[in-house]
Amino acid sequence: MEPIKVRLYDTYEGKVRDFIPLNPPEVDIYYCGPTVYNYVHLGNFRPTVTFDLLTRFLNAIGYQVKCVSNYTDIDDKIIKAALDKHETEKELSEFYIKAYEDCLGKLNILPLYDHPKASEYINKMASFIKDLEDNHTAYQAGDDVYFRVNSDPTYGQLSKQNIADLVSGARIDVNTKKESPLDFALWKMTDDEGIKFDTPIGKGRPGWHTECVVMVNSVFKKPLIDIHGGGFDLKFPHHENEIAQSEAHNHTRLANYWMHVGFLLTNGVKMSKSLGNSILAKDVLQRHSGNAVRLFFLSTNYRAPINYTEEALDSFDKVANRYLSSVRKATYQLQLKNIKEGQIITSDKEEFLLALADDLNVANAMTVLDRELKEINTLSMKKDADLEREADLVKTFTYISDILGLKFVFDPLTDEDRVNLQAYEEARVNKDYAKSDELRKVLSAKGIL
RNA sequence: GGUUCCAUAGCCAAGUUGGUAAGGCAAAGGACUGCAAAUCCUCAACCUGCGGUUCGAAUCCGCAUGGAACCUCCA
C-alpha cells in the first residue's frame, strides 16, 4: 500500500493543503478545551470527537500523534461561579473536570498525551507576558497588561479581518485605559474577590488568550506545532490573539495548520450557553449511547454546521445497535464453527483510509462500513457461506469502526450458549416450537440469534 | 455596517482539476420464516431561482432569494 497523502483544510491559508508534519512520524495536535465552570453542552464535544478521529486516523497510517487539549480553570466565569457557590475555584473546576471526563469515557475518546490545566502554568504565563512587555508588544495600563495589536502586521490573517474594519465594528469599549479597542488583556489584576496569583508581574490572573499559547509552548516544548484546532467561534478573537502573541514572542504562527470545527445547532441556531439553548452533554449521553453520539457527529463534514434533534440521535441509536448486533451475531457464528480470526481486507482498508485522508471525508469512508455490514448480514444468513470471507469482513469492520472510535463490546460465547443453540436447532427440526421459542428468547437476549 | 460560510430527494448527506448525481434514515412493495424479530431485494432528485462562460455545469462567474457564524464570553 502506497503511503497515504493526507489533505486538511487550513483556516489560516483558507484552503485544503497537503498535510506535512514538521517532525514525522510525530504529529502534534492541540485543541482548546472547555472552561470548566459548568456542565458542558453537547456542542463542546464536536471538536473532541473530530480531533479524536483525526488522531486515530493519523495513528493508523503510521504517525505518532500527541494530541493535547487543555482545561481553562482560571477565568472570570469560574471566579464568579465559585463565589456564588461558596467554593474555591479549584473545587469548582475539579468537579466539572470530572464530569467532563466522564463524558470523554462514554464517547470512547482516546487518552490524550496531556491535559494541561491553566492554573498549573501561571508562572510560565507571567514570564511570557514579561517578555512581551520587554519587546514592547505589551504594555501596562493601570494594573492590567494588554497586548498591542498594532504591533502585529499579520493580525487578522486567520479570521480574514482587517484591523480597520475591526476597529470600526468594535462595540464601544468603556475601558479607556487601552490604546486601541482591539488590544486584549494578557494579565488582569484581581481586586478584592477571586483567586489571585502572586507573580513578578503582579498579583492577578492571566487572560484566556495567553493561557493557551503558553500551554501549547510548554507542553510541546516548541514554538510551532502541527495542528491547532477548536470550534469556529474560537477563530476570532481567541486564536487570532494566540497567533499574535506567538508572533510577538516566537515569530511563528504557533501552528502550521489551523482547523476549525463547525457548530452544533439547535433549531438552526448555534447552541451556546448564553443563548440558553444548551443541551448538556451528560444528559444526552444518558439517553443515547456514545456510539450514537459519535455517529451523529460523524454524519456531517466536520466543518459544516450540524443540527441537533432527539430524532436524529434516536435514529443513530438504532444504527449503532444494528452494527453491534450484526457484528456480534457474526462473531458468535464464526466462533461456533471454530473459524479463526480473519485478515483485514486491504482494498477496503485502503478505500476507507483514502476517504479520511481527504480532509476527513467521513461520509465516503462510512460507505465502506455499510457495504461490509450488508455482506456480513448476507453471509450470516446463508447456509453454505464463505466463512473465511465472513471472518475477514468482521475483522475489517472492527478495524474500521475502531478508527471511527466506535466501540462494540459483547460477552464471549459460553459453553451453555453452545448447548442452547444446538438444542434450539434440534427443537425446530422436531417442530417442538414451544421449546424452540423458549430457547430463542434466551439466545436472542444474548444476541446470538 | 464589515468579514466569512452554506442552499443536493420526506429527513441527514457525499460529490478533489466541469462530462448528465455515493451512502444512511424514514415510508412502501417483495423475498425468506411454523410465527415473530432480524436480514436481504426493489423503489426516489428538472441539484433554491435567474442569467453568463462552455460542445457540456450540482460543480466556474454574476445577480437574486433564503439561512448561519464571527466582529463581545462562547467548542
Side-chain angles (χ1 to χ4, degrees):
Chain A
M1 187 163 153
E2 301 266 312
I4 289 184
K5 195 171 81 176
V6 178
R7 292 171 59 74
L8 295 174
Y9 185 87
D10 171 26
T11 312
Y12 193 90
E13 303 275 338
K15 62 183 183 201
V16 177
R17 294 169 56 206
D18 288 344
F19 175 66
I20 299 160
L22 295 163
N23 303 300
E26 187 182 316
V27 174
D28 311 312
I29 302 177
Y30 179 97
Y31 63 93
C32 296
T35 303
V36 281
Y37 68 101
N38 209 331
Y39 290 114
V40 298
H41 62 66
L42 187 62
N44 287 264
F45 283 102
R46 178 122 100 127
T48 310
V49 168
T50 302
F51 291 108
D52 184 66
L53 171 68
L54 183 60
T55 299
R56 288 169 182 271
F57 165 63
L58 291 175
N59 282 339
I61 61 172
Y63 292 110
Q64 290 158 21
V65 178
K66 292 180 175 175
C67 188
V68 173
S69 178
N70 70 296
Y71 290 119
T72 300
D73 62 345
I74 299 296
D75 171 273
D76 291 1
K77 285 181 178 169
I78 291 175
I79 292 172
K80 186 176 181 305
L83 282 170
D84 289 350
K85 288 193 152 188
H86 306 292
E87 290 179 350
T88 65
E89 285 83 353
K90 191 171 172 60
E91 286 166 346
L92 182 95
S93 60
E94 291 297 328
F95 177 82
Y96 290 113
I97 285 173
K98 204 175 166 302
Y100 181 84
E101 289 180 341
D102 188 44
C103 293
L104 291 182
K106 287 184 179 168
L107 283 167
N108 192 28
I109 303 294
L110 287 174
L112 297 180
Y113 175 69
D114 198 353
H115 219 143
K117 295 170 190 152
S119 61
E120 291 166 355
Y121 292 83
I122 301 294
N123 285 327
K124 287 191 164 137
M125 293 169 194
S127 78
F128 183 92
I129 292 166
K130 182 73 172 53
D131 293 343
L132 295 184
E133 286 189 71
D134 288 348
N135 74 18
H136 308 294
T137 51
Y139 59 93
Q140 276 209 287
D143 291 331
D144 302 335
V145 182
Y146 289 94
F147 185 84
R148 187 172 279 128
V149 165
N150 276 323
S151 71
D152 179 10
T154 66
Y155 194 83
Q157 168 89 23
L158 180 76
S159 53
K160 311 287 180 278
Q161 311 263 349
N162 70 63
I163 291 184
D165 288 340
L166 284 169
V167 170
S168 68
R171 310 264 167 104
I172 296 152
D173 197 328
V174 293
N175 187 346
T176 50
K177 293 183 292 186
K178 295 200 281 186
E179 292 176 7
S180 156
L182 296 185
D183 292 351
F184 55 90
L186 302 176
W187 187 264
K188 298 179 212 173
M189 228 23 99
T190 304
D191 329 310
D192 38 342
E193 290 187 314
I195 194 164
K196 62 188 86 171
F197 299 90
D198 197 358
T199 72
I201 60 168
K203 287 186 183 176
R205 59 188 192 277
W208 177 41
H209 310 307
T210 304
E211 295 178 351
C212 278
V213 206
V214 172
M215 284 189 275
V216 171
N217 289 170
S218 305
V219 169
F220 291 107
K221 300 183 176 63
K222 54 174 86 161
L224 182 68
I225 63 168
D226 291 304
I227 298 170
H228 189 133
F232 252 80
D233 49 355
L234 262 31
K235 240 191 276 185
F236 189 92
H238 184 54
H239 289 163
E240 197 75 71
N241 291 351
E242 282 191 61
I243 292 172
Q245 293 171 86
S246 175
E247 289 285 356
H249 196 276
N250 304 322
H251 308 289
T252 73
R253 58 153 107 156
L254 190 58
N256 237 345
Y257 299 83
W258 286 83
M259 295 178 66
H260 291 96
V261 178
F263 289 126
L264 179 66
L265 314 176
T266 23
N267 299 320
V269 183
K270 176 184 170 186
M271 185 181 289
S272 84
K273 285 175 190 167
S274 37
L275 290 175
N277 60 357
S278 293
I279 313 285
L280 297 183
K282 70 176 178 71
D283 296 339
V284 173
L285 284 165
Q286 208 152 33
R287 291 193 295 267
H288 306 281
S289 67
N291 281 347
V293 174
R294 271 222 182 224
L295 287 168
F296 167 66
F297 282 140
L298 262 27
S299 69
T300 300
N301 179 285
Y302 75 91
R303 286 190 280 133
I306 182 171
N307 201 44
Y308 163 87
T309 61
E310 269 302 299
E311 295 73 49
L313 268 308
D314 283 341
S315 80
F316 285 113
D317 264 319
K318 280 205 266 183
V319 172
N321 284 335
R322 220 183 64 217
Y323 286 170
L324 170 65
S325 56
S326 293
V327 172
R328 182 176 53 195
K329 187 173 166 186
T331 303
Y332 285 157
Q333 284 187 350
L334 292 167
Q335 280 177 15
L336 285 168
K337 287 166 185 160
N338 297 315
I339 305 296
K340 64 176 192 300
E341 189 175 82
Q343 305 282 314
I344 291 173
I345 301 162
T346 318
S347 56
D348 281 7
K349 171 182 168 180
E350 185 166 340
E351 182 182 349
F352 173 78
L353 293 175
L354 282 174
L356 288 185
D358 178 20
D359 195 30
L360 296 180
N361 190 330
V362 177
N364 281 341
M366 292 279 292
T367 61
V368 179
L369 204 69
D370 285 312
R371 195 181 62 214
E372 288 186 343
L373 187 82
K374 205 163 271 189
E375 195 179 343
I376 289 171
N377 286 335
T378 305
L379 291 175
S380 298
M381 299 297 297
K382 279 171 84 173
K383 282 269 179 278
D384 54 345
D386 179 347
L387 295 176
E388 278 172 27
R389 169 74 181 167
E390 190 176 346
D392 290 349
L393 283 164
V394 169
K395 176 78 178 172
T396 313
F397 184 93
T398 307
Y399 169 81
I400 287 178
S401 31
D402 186 57
I403 293 174
L404 294 172
L406 302 173
K407 195 173 168 185
F408 303 114
V409 286
F410 44 86
D411 298 332
L413 213 53
T414 63
D415 289 339
E416 189 193 345
D417 297 330
R418 291 171 188 262
V419 171
N420 282 343
L421 191 76
Q422 203 175 2
Y424 167 73
E425 275 163 3
E426 276 170 17
R428 292 190 66 207
V429 170
N430 299 331
K431 297 191 195 290
D432 183 355
Y433 295 125
K435 187 176 179 190
S436 74
D437 284 354
E438 199 158 311
L439 285 164
R440 180 169 70 189
K441 218 181 282 178
V442 177
L443 290 163
S444 56
K446 290 207 68 179
I448 297 166
L449 283 181

